[in-house]
Amino acid sequence: SRSRDNKPPAAGSKEAAPDAVSLRSKFNSFQKNYLFVFMFAMFSDWLQGPYVYELYVSYGFSQSQIAELFVCGFGSSMVVGTFVGGLADKLGRKNMCILYCVCYISACCTKLVPEYWTLMLGRFLSGVATSLLFSVFESWMVCEHFKQGFDSNLLNDTFAYATFGNGLVAVIAGLIANYFAGLFGFVAPFVVALVPLTV
């Protein structure tokens, strides 16, 4: 009968299958894009961590000056972290991810200058970048995930890959940083960190 012919295809029918395949393909592309960006962001962060103190020592700063530099970084991260979520909602999460790159590129550039207040500015920017790194990237991903209509259960896969990838990136970044620091000095890892931030 005509009523049977006009029935919409069932969820498990062959007609509905292409939509499911298309949505899964779209999700895979979205997931790969996020992981690519997130891994590069984490890679740049891991490159720098082990050599901040050694760089300050090589520049001849006293222990009290080095302590002040570190306190500035931790303090700026603490302060910015209290309102970065609301700022991301207002300015856009993608824009805040771009701001992370700008802050960290600027911070890396200050490491080339062995002057106390220039390095202090760099530590402040590093603290801001750290707050952005551990908040806006994931919130951007989650927001876009639901905006594009993906299944909430698929978030588990993305977070699992991100966690595993972060550990792998940390090891690789440590080896690369050690290699370049041995060749060109303690400032080299910060120069190398500029590369993933500009990709």
Side-chain angles (χ1 to χ4, degrees):
S1 65
R2 296 185 64 183
S3 61
R4 288 182 179 178
D5 294 338
N6 291 333
K7 281 185 178 181
S13 68
K14 292 182 179 180
E15 290 85 350
D19 290 336
V21 172
S22 176
L23 188 62
R24 183 67 193 198
S25 177
K26 186 178 179 182
F27 168 74
N28 289 339
S29 177
F30 166 79
Q31 186 184 67
K32 288 176 183 177
N33 181 60
Y34 167 72
L35 291 173
F36 178 81
V37 173
F38 182 70
M39 290 307 134
F40 268 100
M42 292 302 303
F43 182 66
S44 66
D45 185 60
W46 284 117
L47 278 170
Q48 303 172 51
Y51 293 99
V52 177
Y53 176 80
E54 293 295 341
L55 180 68
Y56 293 156
V57 171
S58 69
Y59 282 159
F61 291 111
S62 66
Q63 292 295 309
S64 61
Q65 288 175 314
I66 293 173
E68 290 166 359
L69 289 168
F70 274 98
V71 168
C72 177
F74 295 138
S76 66
S77 182
M78 177 186 68
V79 172
V80 172
T82 59
F83 60 83
V84 70
L87 201 59
D89 291 336
K90 186 175 182 180
L91 300 179
R93 295 170 181 84
K94 182 178 180 180
N95 290 332
M96 297 300 283
C97 291
I98 295 173
L99 180 61
Y100 160 79
C101 295
V102 172
C103 287
Y104 238 156
I105 287 171
S106 301
C108 288
C109 289
T110 64
K111 298 296 191 297
L112 304 174
V113 183
E115 195 272 323
Y116 180 78
W117 289 109
T118 302
L119 294 171
M120 184 67 79
L121 173 62
R123 285 303 300 168
F124 174 82
L125 292 173
S126 293
V128 173
T130 299
S131 288
L132 294 172
L133 175 61
F134 291 102
S135 57
V136 296
F137 282 89
E138 288 186 355
S139 64
W140 168 75
M141 183 272 291
V142 172
C143 180
E144 286 298 315
H145 182 99
F146 287 111
K147 185 184 294 185
Q148 297 191 35
F150 300 134
D151 189 339
S152 60
N153 292 326
L154 294 174
L155 279 173
N156 294 332
D157 290 341
T158 304
F159 281 121
Y161 285 130
T163 301
F164 174 78
N166 185 33
L168 187 63
V169 161
V171 174
I172 295 172
L175 294 173
I176 292 175
N178 182 67
Y179 174 76
F180 281 99
L183 286 179
F184 304 107
F186 296 127
V187 75
F190 301 94
V191 176
V192 176
L194 292 172
V195 177
L197 291 169
T198 55
V199 171

